[in-house]
Coordinates of all heavy atoms in Angstrom, one line a residue:
M1487 N 118.2 109.8 117.6 CA 116.9 109.2 117.9 C 116.9 107.9 117.1 O 116.4 107.8 116.0 CB 115.8 110.1 117.4 CG 115.7 111.4 118.2 SD 115.1 111.1 119.9 CE 113.3 110.8 119.6
A1488 N 117.3 106.8 117.7 CA 117.4 105.5 117.0 C 116.0 104.9 116.9 O 115.8 104.0 116.1 CB 118.3 104.6 117.8
N1489 N 115.1 105.5 117.7 CA 113.7 104.9 117.6 C 112.8 105.4 116.6 O 111.7 105.0 116.4 CB 113.1 105.0 119.0 CG 113.7 104.2 120.1 OD1 114.3 103.1 119.7 ND2 113.6 104.6 121.3
S1490 N 113.2 106.5 115.9 CA 112.3 107.1 115.0 C 112.2 106.3 113.7 O 113.2 105.8 113.2 CB 112.7 108.6 114.6 OG 114.0 108.7 114.5
I1491 N 111.0 106.1 113.3 CA 110.7 105.3 112.1 C 110.0 106.2 111.1 O 108.9 106.8 111.4 CB 109.8 104.1 112.4 CG1 110.5 103.3 113.5 CG2 109.5 103.3 111.2 CD1 109.5 102.2 114.1
W1492 N 110.6 106.4 110.0 CA 110.0 107.3 109.0 C 109.5 106.4 107.8 O 110.2 105.6 107.3 CB 111.0 108.3 108.4 CG 111.3 109.4 109.4 CD1 110.8 109.5 110.7 CD2 112.1 110.5 109.2 NE1 111.3 110.6 111.3 CE2 112.1 111.3 110.4 CE3 112.9 110.9 108.1 CZ2 112.9 112.4 110.5 CZ3 113.6 112.1 108.2 CH2 113.6 112.8 109.4
T1493 N 108.3 106.6 107.4 CA 107.8 106.0 106.2 C 107.1 107.0 105.3 O 106.6 108.0 105.8 CB 106.8 104.9 106.6 OG1 105.7 105.4 107.4 CG2 107.4 103.7 107.3
T1494 N 107.2 106.8 104.1 CA 106.6 107.8 103.1 C 105.2 107.2 102.7 O 105.1 106.0 102.3 CB 107.5 108.0 101.9 OG1 108.7 108.5 102.3 CG2 106.8 109.0 100.9
E1495 N 104.2 108.1 102.8 CA 102.9 107.6 102.4 C 102.3 108.6 101.3 O 102.8 109.7 101.2 CB 101.9 107.6 103.6 CG 102.3 106.6 104.6 CD 101.2 106.3 105.6 OE1 100.1 106.7 105.4 OE2 101.6 105.7 106.6
E1496 N 101.4 108.1 100.5 CA 100.9 108.8 99.4 C 99.4 109.1 99.6 O 98.7 108.2 100.1 CB 101.1 108.0 98.1 CG 100.9 108.8 96.9 CD 101.3 108.0 95.6 OE1 102.5 107.8 95.4 OE2 100.4 107.5 94.9
F1497 N 99.0 110.3 99.3 CA 97.6 110.7 99.5 C 97.1 111.4 98.2 O 97.9 112.1 97.6 CB 97.5 111.7 100.7 CG 98.0 111.1 102.0 CD1 99.3 111.3 102.4 CD2 97.1 110.4 102.8 CE1 99.8 110.8 103.5 CE2 97.6 109.9 104.0 CZ 98.9 110.1 104.4
T1498 N 95.9 111.2 97.9 CA 95.3 111.9 96.8 C 94.2 112.8 97.3 O 93.3 112.4 98.0 CB 94.7 110.8 95.8 OG1 95.7 109.9 95.4 CG2 94.1 111.5 94.6
C1499 N 94.2 114.0 96.8 CA 93.2 115.0 97.1 C 91.9 114.6 96.6 O 91.8 114.3 95.4 CB 93.6 116.4 96.6 SG 92.4 117.7 96.9
A1500 N 90.8 114.6 97.4 CA 89.5 114.2 96.9 C 88.9 115.3 96.1 O 88.0 115.0 95.3 CB 88.6 114.0 98.1
G1501 N 89.4 116.5 96.2 CA 88.8 117.6 95.5 C 89.3 117.7 94.0 O 88.5 118.0 93.1
C1502 N 90.6 117.6 93.9 CA 91.2 117.8 92.5 C 92.1 116.7 92.1 O 92.7 116.8 91.0 CB 92.0 119.2 92.5 SG 93.4 119.1 93.6
S1503 N 92.2 115.6 92.8 CA 92.9 114.4 92.5 C 94.4 114.7 92.4 O 95.1 113.9 91.8 CB 92.4 113.9 91.1 OG 91.1 113.5 91.2
M1504 N 94.9 115.8 93.0 CA 96.3 116.0 93.1 C 96.9 114.9 94.1 O 96.3 114.6 95.1 CB 96.6 117.4 93.6 CG 98.0 117.8 93.5 SD 98.6 117.9 91.8 CE 100.4 118.2 92.2
T1505 N 98.0 114.4 93.7 CA 98.7 113.4 94.6 C 99.8 114.1 95.4 O 100.6 114.8 94.8 CB 99.2 112.3 93.7 OG1 98.1 111.7 93.0 CG2 99.8 111.2 94.6
Y1506 N 99.8 113.7 96.6 CA 100.9 114.3 97.5 C 101.6 113.1 98.2 O 100.9 112.0 98.5 CB 100.3 115.2 98.6 CG 99.7 116.5 98.1 CD1 98.4 116.5 97.7 CD2 100.5 117.6 98.0 CE1 97.9 117.7 97.2 CE2 100.0 118.8 97.5 CZ 98.7 118.8 97.1 OH 98.2 120.0 96.6
T1507 N 102.8 113.3 98.6 CA 103.5 112.3 99.5 C 103.9 113.1 100.7 O 104.1 114.3 100.7 CB 104.7 111.7 98.8 OG1 105.6 112.8 98.5 CG2 104.4 111.0 97.6
A1508 N 103.9 112.3 101.8 CA 104.3 112.9 103.1 C 105.1 111.9 103.9 O 104.9 110.7 103.7 CB 103.1 113.4 103.9
T1509 N 105.9 112.3 104.7 CA 106.7 111.4 105.6 C 106.0 111.3 106.9 O 105.7 112.3 107.6 CB 108.1 112.0 105.8 OG1 108.7 112.2 104.5 CG2 108.9 111.0 106.6
R1510 N 105.7 110.1 107.3 CA 105.1 109.7 108.5 C 106.2 109.4 109.6 O 107.0 108.6 109.3 CB 104.1 108.6 108.3 CG 103.5 108.1 109.6 CD 102.6 106.9 109.4 NE 102.2 106.2 110.6 CZ 101.0 105.8 110.9 NH1 100.1 105.9 110.0 NH2 100.7 105.2 112.0
E1511 N 106.1 110.1 110.7 CA 107.0 109.8 111.8 C 106.3 109.3 113.0 O 105.3 109.9 113.4 CB 107.8 111.1 112.1 CG 108.9 110.9 113.1 CD 109.6 112.2 113.5 OE1 109.0 113.3 113.3 OE2 110.8 112.1 113.9
E1512 N 106.7 108.2 113.5 CA 106.1 107.7 114.7 C 106.5 108.4 116.0 O 107.7 108.8 116.1 CB 106.4 106.2 114.9 CG 106.0 105.3 113.7 CD 104.5 105.3 113.5 OE1 103.7 105.4 114.5 OE2 104.1 105.2 112.3
H1513 N 105.6 108.7 116.8 CA 105.9 109.4 118.1 C 105.4 108.6 119.3 O 104.5 107.8 119.1 CB 105.2 110.8 118.1 CG 105.9 111.8 117.2 ND1 106.8 112.7 117.6 CD2 105.8 112.0 115.8 CE1 107.2 113.5 116.6 NE2 106.6 113.1 115.5
S1514 N 105.9 108.9 120.4 CA 105.4 108.3 121.6 C 104.3 109.1 122.2 O 103.5 108.6 123.1 CB 106.6 108.2 122.6 OG 107.1 109.5 122.9
E1515 N 104.1 110.3 121.7 CA 102.9 111.1 122.2 C 102.0 111.4 121.0 O 102.5 111.5 119.9 CB 103.4 112.4 122.8 CG 104.3 112.2 124.1 CD 104.7 113.5 124.6 OE1 104.6 114.6 124.0 OE2 105.3 113.5 125.7
A1516 N 100.8 111.7 121.3 CA 99.8 111.9 120.3 C 99.9 113.3 119.6 O 100.3 114.3 120.3 CB 98.4 111.8 120.9
H1517 N 99.7 113.3 118.3 CA 99.7 114.5 117.6 C 98.5 114.6 116.8 O 97.9 113.6 116.4 CB 100.9 114.6 116.6 CG 102.2 114.8 117.3 ND1 102.9 116.0 117.3 CD2 103.0 113.9 118.0 CE1 104.0 115.8 118.0 NE2 104.1 114.6 118.4
T1518 N 98.0 115.8 116.5 CA 96.9 116.0 115.6 C 97.4 117.0 114.6 O 98.2 117.9 114.8 CB 95.7 116.6 116.3 OG1 95.9 117.8 116.9 CG2 95.1 115.6 117.3
G1519 N 96.9 116.9 113.4 CA 97.2 117.9 112.3 C 96.4 117.6 111.1 O 95.7 116.6 111.0
S1520 N 96.6 118.4 110.1 CA 95.9 118.2 108.8 C 96.7 118.9 107.8 O 97.5 119.8 108.0 CB 94.5 118.7 108.9 OG 94.5 120.1 109.1
F1521 N 96.5 118.5 106.5 CA 97.2 119.1 105.4 C 96.2 119.5 104.4 O 95.3 118.7 104.0 CB 98.2 118.2 104.8 CG 98.9 118.7 103.6 CD1 99.9 119.7 103.7 CD2 98.5 118.3 102.3 CE1 100.5 120.2 102.5 CE2 99.1 118.8 101.2 CZ 100.1 119.8 101.3
K1522 N 96.2 120.8 103.9 CA 95.3 121.2 102.9 C 96.0 121.3 101.6 O 97.1 121.7 101.5 CB 94.7 122.6 103.3 CG 93.8 122.6 104.5 CD 93.2 123.9 104.8 CE 92.2 123.9 105.9 NZ 91.6 125.2 106.2
C1523 N 95.2 121.0 100.6 CA 95.6 121.0 99.2 C 96.0 122.4 98.8 O 95.3 123.4 99.1 CB 94.5 120.5 98.3 SG 95.0 120.5 96.6
S1524 N 97.2 122.6 98.2 CA 97.6 123.9 97.8 C 96.9 124.4 96.5 O 97.0 125.6 96.1 CB 99.1 123.9 97.5 OG 99.4 123.0 96.5
I1525 N 96.1 123.5 95.9 CA 95.4 123.9 94.6 C 94.0 124.2 94.9 O 93.5 125.3 94.5 CB 95.5 122.7 93.6 CG1 97.0 122.5 93.2 CG2 94.7 123.0 92.4 CD1 97.3 121.3 92.4
C1526 N 93.3 123.3 95.6 CA 91.8 123.6 95.8 C 91.5 123.8 97.3 O 90.3 124.0 97.6 CB 91.0 122.4 95.3 SG 91.2 120.9 96.3
S1527 N 92.5 123.9 98.2 CA 92.3 124.1 99.6 C 91.5 123.1 100.3 O 91.1 123.4 101.5 CB 91.7 125.5 99.8 OG 92.6 126.5 99.3
G1528 N 91.2 122.0 99.7 CA 90.5 120.9 100.4 C 91.5 120.2 101.3 O 92.7 120.2 101.1
V1529 N 90.9 119.6 102.4 CA 91.8 118.8 103.3 C 92.1 117.5 102.7 O 91.3 116.7 102.3 CB 91.0 118.6 104.6 CG1 91.9 117.7 105.5 CG2 90.7 119.9 105.3
V1530 N 93.4 117.3 102.4 CA 93.9 116.1 101.8 C 93.9 115.0 102.9 O 93.5 113.8 102.6 CB 95.3 116.3 101.2 CG1 95.8 115.0 100.6 CG2 95.2 117.4 100.1
H1531 N 94.4 115.3 104.0 CA 94.5 114.3 105.1 C 94.6 115.0 106.4 O 95.2 116.0 106.6 CB 95.8 113.5 104.9 CG 95.9 112.3 105.8 ND1 95.0 111.3 105.9 CD2 96.9 112.0 106.8 CE1 95.4 110.4 106.8 NE2 96.5 110.9 107.4
S1532 N 93.9 114.4 107.4 CA 94.0 114.9 108.8 C 94.2 113.7 109.6 O 93.8 112.6 109.3 CB 92.7 115.6 109.2 OG 91.6 114.7 109.2
W1533 N 95.0 113.9 110.7 CA 95.4 112.7 111.5 C 95.4 113.1 113.0 O 95.5 114.3 113.3 CB 96.8 112.3 111.1 CG 97.9 113.3 111.3 CD1 98.6 113.5 112.4 CD2 98.3 114.3 110.4 NE1 99.5 114.5 112.2 CE2 99.3 115.1 111.0 CE3 97.9 114.7 109.1 CZ2 99.9 116.2 110.4 CZ3 98.5 115.8 108.5 CH2 99.5 116.5 109.1
S1534 N 95.2 112.1 113.8 CA 95.4 112.3 115.2 C 95.8 110.9 115.8 O 95.2 109.9 115.5 CB 94.2 112.8 115.9 OG 93.3 111.8 116.3
G1535 N 96.9 110.9 116.5 CA 97.4 109.7 117.0 C 98.9 109.8 117.3 O 99.4 110.9 117.3
K1536 N 99.5 108.7 117.5 CA 100.9 108.7 117.9 C 101.8 108.7 116.6 O 102.7 107.9 116.5 CB 101.2 107.5 118.8 CG 100.5 107.7 120.1 CD 100.9 106.5 121.1 CE 100.3 106.7 122.4 NZ 100.6 105.6 123.4
H1537 N 101.5 109.6 115.8 CA 102.3 109.8 114.6 C 102.1 111.2 114.1 O 101.1 111.9 114.4 CB 102.0 108.8 113.5 CG 100.6 108.7 113.1 ND1 99.6 108.0 113.8 CD2 99.9 109.4 112.1 CE1 98.4 108.2 113.2 NE2 98.6 109.0 112.2
H1538 N 103.0 111.6 113.2 CA 102.9 113.0 112.6 C 103.3 112.9 111.2 O 104.1 112.0 110.8 CB 103.8 113.9 113.4 CG 103.6 115.4 113.1 ND1 102.4 116.0 113.4 CD2 104.3 116.3 112.5 CE1 102.5 117.3 113.0 NE2 103.6 117.5 112.4
F1539 N 102.7 113.8 110.3 CA 103.1 113.8 108.9 C 103.8 115.1 108.6 O 103.4 116.2 109.1 CB 101.9 113.7 108.0 CG 101.3 112.3 108.0 CD1 100.3 111.9 108.8 CD2 101.9 111.3 107.2 CE1 99.8 110.6 108.8 CE2 101.3 110.0 107.1 CZ 100.3 109.7 108.0
F1540 N 104.9 115.1 107.9 CA 105.6 116.3 107.5 C 106.2 116.1 106.1 O 106.2 115.0 105.6 CB 106.7 116.6 108.6 CG 107.8 115.7 108.6 CD1 109.0 115.9 107.9 CD2 107.7 114.5 109.3 CE1 110.1 115.0 107.9 CE2 108.8 113.6 109.4 CZ 110.0 113.9 108.7
G1541 N 106.8 117.1 105.6 CA 107.4 117.0 104.3 C 106.5 116.8 103.2 O 106.8 116.0 102.3
W1542 N 105.3 117.5 103.2 CA 104.4 117.3 102.2 C 104.9 117.8 100.8 O 105.4 118.9 100.7 CB 103.1 118.0 102.5 CG 102.3 117.3 103.6 CD1 102.5 117.6 105.0 CD2 101.3 116.3 103.5 NE1 101.6 116.7 105.7 CE2 100.9 116.0 104.8 CE3 100.7 115.7 102.4 CZ2 99.9 115.0 105.0 CZ3 99.7 114.8 102.6 CH2 99.3 114.4 103.9
R1543 N 104.7 117.0 99.8 CA 105.2 117.3 98.5 C 104.2 116.9 97.5 O 103.6 115.8 97.5 CB 106.5 116.6 98.2 CG 107.7 117.1 99.0 CD 108.9 116.3 98.7 NE 109.4 116.5 97.3 CZ 110.4 116.0 96.8 NH1 111.1 115.1 97.5 NH2 110.8 116.2 95.6
A1544 N 103.9 117.8 96.5 CA 103.0 117.5 95.4 C 103.7 116.6 94.4 O 104.9 116.9 94.1 CB 102.5 118.8 94.8
V1545 N 103.0 115.6 94.0 CA 103.6 114.7 93.0 C 103.0 115.1 91.6 O 101.8 115.2 91.5 CB 103.2 113.2 93.3 CG1 103.8 112.3 92.2 CG2 103.8 112.8 94.7
K1546 N 103.9 115.4 90.7 CA 103.5 115.8 89.4 C 103.0 114.6 88.6 O 103.7 113.6 88.4 CB 104.6 116.5 88.7 CG 104.9 117.9 89.2 CD 105.9 118.6 88.4 CE 106.2 120.0 89.0 NZ 107.2 120.7 88.2
T1547 N 101.7 114.7 88.2 CA 101.2 113.6 87.5 C 101.0 114.0 86.0 O 100.9 115.2 85.7 CB 99.8 113.1 88.0 OG1 99.0 114.3 88.1 CG2 100.0 112.6 89.4
K1548 N 101.0 113.0 85.2 CA 100.8 113.3 83.7 C 99.4 113.8 83.5 O 98.5 113.2 83.9 CB 101.1 112.0 82.9 CG 102.5 111.5 83.0 CD 102.6 110.2 82.3 CE 104.0 109.6 82.5 NZ 104.2 108.3 81.9
P1549 N 99.3 114.9 82.8 CA 98.0 115.4 82.5 C 97.3 114.7 81.3 O 97.0 115.2 80.3 CB 98.3 116.9 82.1 CG 99.6 116.8 81.5 CD 100.4 115.7 82.2
A1550 N 97.1 113.4 81.6 CA 96.5 112.5 80.5 C 95.1 113.0 80.1 O 94.8 112.9 78.9 CB 96.5 111.1 81.0
V1551 N 94.3 113.4 81.1 CA 92.9 113.7 80.8 C 92.9 115.0 79.9 O 92.1 115.1 79.0 CB 92.1 113.9 82.1 CG1 90.7 114.4 81.8 CG2 92.1 112.6 82.8
F1552 N 93.7 116.0 80.3 CA 93.7 117.3 79.6 C 94.5 117.3 78.3 O 94.4 118.2 77.6 CB 94.2 118.4 80.6 CG 93.3 118.4 81.8 CD1 93.8 118.0 83.0 CD2 92.0 119.0 81.8 CE1 93.0 118.0 84.2 CE2 91.2 119.0 82.9 CZ 91.8 118.5 84.1
G1553 N 95.3 116.3 78.2 CA 96.2 116.3 77.0 C 95.4 116.3 75.7 O 95.8 117.0 74.7
R1554 N 94.3 115.6 75.7 CA 93.5 115.4 74.5 C 92.9 116.8 74.1 O 92.7 117.0 72.9 CB 92.4 114.4 74.7 CG 93.0 113.0 74.9 CD 93.5 112.3 73.6 NE 93.9 111.0 73.9 CZ 94.5 110.2 72.9 NH1 94.7 110.7 71.7 NH2 95.0 109.0 73.2
R1555 N 92.5 117.5 75.1 CA 91.8 118.7 74.8 C 92.6 119.7 74.0 O 92.1 120.4 73.2 CB 91.4 119.4 76.2 CG 90.6 120.6 76.0 CD 90.1 121.1 77.4 NE 89.2 120.2 78.0 CZ 88.7 120.4 79.3 NH1 89.1 121.4 80.0 NH2 87.9 119.5 79.8
W1556 N 93.9 119.7 74.2 CA 94.7 120.6 73.4 C 95.4 120.0 72.2 O 96.2 120.6 71.6 CB 95.8 121.2 74.4 CG 95.2 121.8 75.6 CD1 95.1 121.3 76.8 CD2 94.7 123.1 75.7 NE1 94.5 122.1 77.7 CE2 94.2 123.3 77.0 CE3 94.5 124.2 74.7 CZ2 93.6 124.5 77.4 CZ3 93.9 125.3 75.2 CH2 93.4 125.5 76.5
A1557 N 95.0 118.8 71.9 CA 95.6 118.1 70.8 C 95.5 118.9 69.5 O 96.4 118.8 68.6 CB 95.0 116.7 70.7
G1558 N 94.4 119.6 69.3 CA 94.2 120.3 68.0 C 94.7 121.7 68.0 O 94.5 122.3 66.9
V1559 N 95.3 122.1 69.0 CA 95.7 123.5 69.1 C 97.2 123.6 68.6 O 98.0 123.0 69.1 CB 95.7 124.1 70.5 CG1 96.2 125.5 70.6 CG2 94.2 124.0 71.1
P1560 N 97.4 124.3 67.5 CA 98.7 124.5 67.0 C 99.6 125.3 67.9 O 99.1 126.2 68.6 CB 98.6 125.2 65.6 CG 97.3 125.9 65.8 CD 96.4 125.1 66.7
Y1561 N 100.9 125.0 68.0 CA 101.7 125.8 68.8 C 103.0 126.1 68.1 O 103.3 125.6 67.0 CB 102.0 125.1 70.1 CG 102.7 123.7 70.0 CD1 104.1 123.6 69.9 CD2 101.9 122.6 69.8 CE1 104.7 122.3 69.8 CE2 102.5 121.3 69.7 CZ 103.9 121.2 69.7 OH 104.4 120.0 69.5
Ligands
LIG2855 ZN1 93.0 119.5 95.8

C-alpha cells in the first residue's frame, strides 16, 4: 500500500489530563470510531471521515502536580 500515509497525533483526555498518542491512517473510505480513556472512561477522541486512528498508547507524564503532596512522607 504505497498510498497509505501514517501520522502520529497526540490527544489529551479532558477528564483526567492523561495524554495519548495514536496513529492516524488516511483511507479512501469514511470511518467512524472513538477512543475511551482507560483511566476515567471519558471519550478522548472520536472521529468520522476518511481516516482512522489506531495504536493508541498512553504517554507517561511526570507527576509534577502530585509530587509535592508526597514530599514530606518518609520512605
Ligand atoms: Zn481520562
